[in-house]
Amino acid sequence: MPKKELPEVEHIELSDKHTRRRLIASIVFALIAVAMVGYFISSLLTTEPGWQTISSSALNSEEFVLQYNFGSDATAMNRRLTKLYTELLESSVKLFSADTSFENVRNLRYLSLNPNVGIELDPSLFGALEKFKDRRELFLAPIYDEYSSLFFCSYDYEAVNFDPLKNDDQRQFFDEVLSFALDPEKISLEFSDNNRVTLRVSEDYLAFAREYGIVKLIDLSWMRNAFILDRVADGLISEGFTDGILTSYDGFMRALGGGEFTYPVYDRTGMTVRSAANALLQAPSSVVCFRDFMLNSLDAQHFYEYDDGTIRTPYIGYDGLCKSAVSSLILFSDSKSCSELLLEGLPAYVADEFDEILLESGRIWCRDYVIHCSGRVKLGQIYSKDVQYTIKADPD
């Protein structure tokens, strides 16, 4: 895979005028831009060799971008790849959905609707749930739903109804949910042979859920795309498609082949988001980016900004409140999947204070105009306009 360069992105001064999403950067799919590798040509009948964007009609396909480097048999390979990619993406989106039921699909929604029943799952979903054996994020589903309602508000007077920091009744409801969600005696997952999982839910929690109209008891929420992307990437690799880059709009990426690629490093200070640097990374690699600001229009489903600039993010701690220890954290690895990096980063990022000791993978994060980095990475195009960023290489 050849080295791919990205143009430097100018910093974004966020307006102080009343807008729905003041922190939406004027960059569409800025993180997905890491996969843009030059000018690509396509037509309905033929595919030229070189880097191309793969189209898909799958559910939620607008949230993902697959770039692939075709050889001399580009047209035939493109047809096979498009078919495979669409099938993998469609099945993965359905499998990890907690909101929608699909015929003959035992997904997260199916688990919520069938508590205390042993259910045989697709191995990918079974494996994903196993990764949360010692964690409780999955069971914050009712709280994720409330934040989802907050994020889709258009005005502050609507948002405060769903915000536990601005509404005492909502805070009390969150506390009641947490008394169940954080207690393994009230809700838990039981794993058995043959990919069988039982969602164990106590009778009092089920009664509480019925009283408040809670249907969703388990959910990956904002983490879902990491698991979808891993399943699709692994499926592509198993079929021999390894010269590509698969990216989601919300900061998950898998570079499937070899070579080098650049990944943008953004930093927010106050109301300004800057392109602090570009990171040169080695493929194959997985990348996960946590960030407390929006970079594209799709981010509106995971963020809300009040008129005073206060931001609510999707990163919810065990107290039911939004937490972002630093403005952004990039984790990368040539041996871990996106979902594994995600789970590694949760304790460090979704916290009141950033604790780098909790991390073992390569990482990049910014504070006070200093770019901290660790691992196999080179930083270039360092921002130096209205402020000067510097680099601090931390020990591995």
mmCIF file with all atom_site columns, all heavy atoms in Angstrom, residues 377-388:
data_model
loop_
_atom_site.group_PDB
_atom_site.id
_atom_site.type_symbol
_atom_site.label_atom_id
_atom_site.label_alt_id
_atom_site.label_comp_id
_atom_site.label_asym_id
_atom_site.label_entity_id
_atom_site.label_seq_id
_atom_site.pdbx_PDB_ins_code
_atom_site.Cartn_x
_atom_site.Cartn_y
_atom_site.Cartn_z
_atom_site.occupancy
_atom_site.B_iso_or_equiv
_atom_site.pdbx_formal_charge
_atom_site.auth_seq_id
_atom_site.auth_comp_id
_atom_site.auth_asym_id
_atom_site.auth_atom_id
_atom_site.pdbx_PDB_model_num
ATOM 1  N N   . VAL A 1 377 ? 4.690  5.756  15.323 1.00 0.00 ? 377 VAL A N   1
ATOM 2  C CA  . VAL A 1 377 ? 4.001  6.838  14.634 1.00 0.00 ? 377 VAL A CA  1
ATOM 3  C C   . VAL A 1 377 ? 4.961  7.989  14.393 1.00 0.00 ? 377 VAL A C   1
ATOM 4  O O   . VAL A 1 377 ? 5.875  8.231  15.183 1.00 0.00 ? 377 VAL A O   1
ATOM 5  C CB  . VAL A 1 377 ? 2.779  7.326  15.458 1.00 0.00 ? 377 VAL A CB  1
ATOM 6  C CG1 . VAL A 1 377 ? 3.211  7.811  16.828 1.00 0.00 ? 377 VAL A CG1 1
ATOM 7  C CG2 . VAL A 1 377 ? 2.009  8.406  14.713 1.00 0.00 ? 377 VAL A CG2 1
ATOM 8  N N   . LYS A 1 378 ? 4.759  8.680  13.273 1.00 0.00 ? 378 LYS A N   1
ATOM 9  C CA  . LYS A 1 378 ? 5.481  9.903  12.969 1.00 0.00 ? 378 LYS A CA  1
ATOM 10 C C   . LYS A 1 378 ? 4.455  11.010 12.764 1.00 0.00 ? 378 LYS A C   1
ATOM 11 O O   . LYS A 1 378 ? 3.423  10.791 12.154 1.00 0.00 ? 378 LYS A O   1
ATOM 12 C CB  . LYS A 1 378 ? 6.331  9.743  11.705 1.00 0.00 ? 378 LYS A CB  1
ATOM 13 C CG  . LYS A 1 378 ? 7.432  8.694  11.818 1.00 0.00 ? 378 LYS A CG  1
ATOM 14 C CD  . LYS A 1 378 ? 8.192  8.571  10.502 1.00 0.00 ? 378 LYS A CD  1
ATOM 15 C CE  . LYS A 1 378 ? 9.270  7.494  10.588 1.00 0.00 ? 378 LYS A CE  1
ATOM 16 N NZ  . LYS A 1 378 ? 9.978  7.339  9.287  1.00 0.00 ? 378 LYS A NZ  1
ATOM 17 N N   . LEU A 1 379 ? 4.764  12.192 13.272 1.00 0.00 ? 379 LEU A N   1
ATOM 18 C CA  . LEU A 1 379 ? 3.851  13.320 13.149 1.00 0.00 ? 379 LEU A CA  1
ATOM 19 C C   . LEU A 1 379 ? 4.437  14.374 12.224 1.00 0.00 ? 379 LEU A C   1
ATOM 20 O O   . LEU A 1 379 ? 5.619  14.703 12.306 1.00 0.00 ? 379 LEU A O   1
ATOM 21 C CB  . LEU A 1 379 ? 3.574  13.932 14.517 1.00 0.00 ? 379 LEU A CB  1
ATOM 22 C CG  . LEU A 1 379 ? 2.835  13.048 15.530 1.00 0.00 ? 379 LEU A CG  1
ATOM 23 C CD1 . LEU A 1 379 ? 2.739  13.741 16.867 1.00 0.00 ? 379 LEU A CD1 1
ATOM 24 C CD2 . LEU A 1 379 ? 1.457  12.675 15.012 1.00 0.00 ? 379 LEU A CD2 1
ATOM 25 N N   . GLY A 1 380 ? 3.592  14.887 11.335 1.00 0.00 ? 380 GLY A N   1
ATOM 26 C CA  . GLY A 1 380 ? 4.002  15.930 10.412 1.00 0.00 ? 380 GLY A CA  1
ATOM 27 C C   . GLY A 1 380 ? 2.919  16.969 10.249 1.00 0.00 ? 380 GLY A C   1
ATOM 28 O O   . GLY A 1 380 ? 1.828  16.848 10.810 1.00 0.00 ? 380 GLY A O   1
ATOM 29 N N   . GLN A 1 381 ? 3.222  18.020 9.458  1.00 0.00 ? 381 GLN A N   1
ATOM 30 C CA  . GLN A 1 381 ? 2.283  19.119 9.223  1.00 0.00 ? 381 GLN A CA  1
ATOM 31 C C   . GLN A 1 381 ? 1.756  19.658 10.556 1.00 0.00 ? 381 GLN A C   1
ATOM 32 O O   . GLN A 1 381 ? 0.549  19.791 10.771 1.00 0.00 ? 381 GLN A O   1
ATOM 33 C CB  . GLN A 1 381 ? 1.134  18.670 8.320  1.00 0.00 ? 381 GLN A CB  1
ATOM 34 C CG  . GLN A 1 381 ? 1.584  18.337 6.892  1.00 0.00 ? 381 GLN A CG  1
ATOM 35 C CD  . GLN A 1 381 ? 0.438  17.920 6.004  1.00 0.00 ? 381 GLN A CD  1
ATOM 36 O OE1 . GLN A 1 381 ? -0.057 16.795 6.104  1.00 0.00 ? 381 GLN A OE1 1
ATOM 37 N NE2 . GLN A 1 381 ? -0.007 18.817 5.133  1.00 0.00 ? 381 GLN A NE2 1
ATOM 38 N N   . ILE A 1 382 ? 2.666  19.971 11.442 1.00 0.00 ? 382 ILE A N   1
ATOM 39 C CA  . ILE A 1 382 ? 2.309  20.465 12.766 1.00 0.00 ? 382 ILE A CA  1
ATOM 40 C C   . ILE A 1 382 ? 1.713  21.870 12.652 1.00 0.00 ? 382 ILE A C   1
ATOM 41 O O   . ILE A 1 382 ? 2.263  22.741 11.989 1.00 0.00 ? 382 ILE A O   1
ATOM 42 C CB  . ILE A 1 382 ? 3.545  20.500 13.692 1.00 0.00 ? 382 ILE A CB  1
ATOM 43 C CG1 . ILE A 1 382 ? 4.272  19.141 13.659 1.00 0.00 ? 382 ILE A CG1 1
ATOM 44 C CG2 . ILE A 1 382 ? 3.139  20.871 15.110 1.00 0.00 ? 382 ILE A CG2 1
ATOM 45 C CD1 . ILE A 1 382 ? 3.435  17.967 14.062 1.00 0.00 ? 382 ILE A CD1 1
ATOM 46 N N   . TYR A 1 383 ? 0.602  22.084 13.308 1.00 0.00 ? 383 TYR A N   1
ATOM 47 C CA  . TYR A 1 383 ? -0.093 23.373 13.225 1.00 0.00 ? 383 TYR A CA  1
ATOM 48 C C   . TYR A 1 383 ? 0.739  24.472 13.885 1.00 0.00 ? 383 TYR A C   1
ATOM 49 O O   . TYR A 1 383 ? 1.223  24.315 15.011 1.00 0.00 ? 383 TYR A O   1
ATOM 50 C CB  . TYR A 1 383 ? -1.452 23.273 13.919 1.00 0.00 ? 383 TYR A CB  1
ATOM 51 C CG  . TYR A 1 383 ? -2.304 24.492 13.709 1.00 0.00 ? 383 TYR A CG  1
ATOM 52 C CD1 . TYR A 1 383 ? -3.150 24.600 12.614 1.00 0.00 ? 383 TYR A CD1 1
ATOM 53 C CD2 . TYR A 1 383 ? -2.262 25.554 14.613 1.00 0.00 ? 383 TYR A CD2 1
ATOM 54 C CE1 . TYR A 1 383 ? -3.930 25.721 12.419 1.00 0.00 ? 383 TYR A CE1 1
ATOM 55 C CE2 . TYR A 1 383 ? -3.027 26.684 14.424 1.00 0.00 ? 383 TYR A CE2 1
ATOM 56 C CZ  . TYR A 1 383 ? -3.867 26.768 13.330 1.00 0.00 ? 383 TYR A CZ  1
ATOM 57 O OH  . TYR A 1 383 ? -4.629 27.882 13.134 1.00 0.00 ? 383 TYR A OH  1
ATOM 58 N N   . SER A 1 384 ? 0.877  25.605 13.161 1.00 0.00 ? 384 SER A N   1
ATOM 59 C CA  . SER A 1 384 ? 1.717  26.693 13.684 1.00 0.00 ? 384 SER A CA  1
ATOM 60 C C   . SER A 1 384 ? 1.245  28.051 13.193 1.00 0.00 ? 384 SER A C   1
ATOM 61 O O   . SER A 1 384 ? 2.061  28.919 12.901 1.00 0.00 ? 384 SER A O   1
ATOM 62 C CB  . SER A 1 384 ? 3.180  26.472 13.278 1.00 0.00 ? 384 SER A CB  1
ATOM 63 O OG  . SER A 1 384 ? 3.296  26.449 11.858 1.00 0.00 ? 384 SER A OG  1
ATOM 64 N N   . LYS A 1 385 ? -0.058 28.236 13.091 1.00 0.00 ? 385 LYS A N   1
ATOM 65 C CA  . LYS A 1 385 ? -0.565 29.528 12.627 1.00 0.00 ? 385 LYS A CA  1
ATOM 66 C C   . LYS A 1 385 ? -0.798 30.465 13.810 1.00 0.00 ? 385 LYS A C   1
ATOM 67 O O   . LYS A 1 385 ? 0.130  31.131 14.275 1.00 0.00 ? 385 LYS A O   1
ATOM 68 C CB  . LYS A 1 385 ? -1.815 29.332 11.790 1.00 0.00 ? 385 LYS A CB  1
ATOM 69 C CG  . LYS A 1 385 ? -1.547 28.601 10.468 1.00 0.00 ? 385 LYS A CG  1
ATOM 70 C CD  . LYS A 1 385 ? -2.797 28.534 9.616  1.00 0.00 ? 385 LYS A CD  1
ATOM 71 C CE  . LYS A 1 385 ? -2.496 27.986 8.228  1.00 0.00 ? 385 LYS A CE  1
ATOM 72 N NZ  . LYS A 1 385 ? -2.048 26.574 8.260  1.00 0.00 ? 385 LYS A NZ  1
ATOM 73 N N   . ASP A 1 386 ? -2.033 30.509 14.321 1.00 0.00 ? 386 ASP A N   1
ATOM 74 C CA  . ASP A 1 386 ? -2.305 31.420 15.439 1.00 0.00 ? 386 ASP A CA  1
ATOM 75 C C   . ASP A 1 386 ? -1.722 30.906 16.752 1.00 0.00 ? 386 ASP A C   1
ATOM 76 O O   . ASP A 1 386 ? -1.482 31.695 17.685 1.00 0.00 ? 386 ASP A O   1
ATOM 77 C CB  . ASP A 1 386 ? -3.811 31.638 15.594 1.00 0.00 ? 386 ASP A CB  1
ATOM 78 C CG  . ASP A 1 386 ? -4.572 30.319 15.711 1.00 0.00 ? 386 ASP A CG  1
ATOM 79 O OD1 . ASP A 1 386 ? -4.247 29.382 14.957 1.00 0.00 ? 386 ASP A OD1 1
ATOM 80 O OD2 . ASP A 1 386 ? -5.483 30.228 16.544 1.00 0.00 ? 386 ASP A OD2 1
ATOM 81 N N   . VAL A 1 387 ? -1.480 29.597 16.841 1.00 0.00 ? 387 VAL A N   1
ATOM 82 C CA  . VAL A 1 387 ? -0.793 29.002 17.994 1.00 0.00 ? 387 VAL A CA  1
ATOM 83 C C   . VAL A 1 387 ? 0.236  28.016 17.467 1.00 0.00 ? 387 VAL A C   1
ATOM 84 O O   . VAL A 1 387 ? 0.178  27.601 16.308 1.00 0.00 ? 387 VAL A O   1
ATOM 85 C CB  . VAL A 1 387 ? -1.783 28.287 18.948 1.00 0.00 ? 387 VAL A CB  1
ATOM 86 C CG1 . VAL A 1 387 ? -2.765 29.264 19.560 1.00 0.00 ? 387 VAL A CG1 1
ATOM 87 C CG2 . VAL A 1 387 ? -2.497 27.161 18.241 1.00 0.00 ? 387 VAL A CG2 1
ATOM 88 N N   . GLN A 1 388 ? 1.177  27.631 18.310 1.00 0.00 ? 388 GLN A N   1
ATOM 89 C CA  . GLN A 1 388 ? 2.220  26.700 17.909 1.00 0.00 ? 388 GLN A CA  1
ATOM 90 C C   . GLN A 1 388 ? 2.083  25.403 18.701 1.00 0.00 ? 388 GLN A C   1
ATOM 91 O O   . GLN A 1 388 ? 2.168  25.394 19.926 1.00 0.00 ? 388 GLN A O   1
ATOM 92 C CB  . GLN A 1 388 ? 3.601  27.293 18.163 1.00 0.00 ? 388 GLN A CB  1
ATOM 93 C CG  . GLN A 1 388 ? 4.746  26.331 17.888 1.00 0.00 ? 388 GLN A CG  1
ATOM 94 C CD  . GLN A 1 388 ? 4.877  25.974 16.406 1.00 0.00 ? 388 GLN A CD  1
ATOM 95 O OE1 . GLN A 1 388 ? 5.084  26.841 15.562 1.00 0.00 ? 388 GLN A OE1 1
ATOM 96 N NE2 . GLN A 1 388 ? 4.744  24.672 16.107 1.00 0.00 ? 388 GLN A NE2 1
#
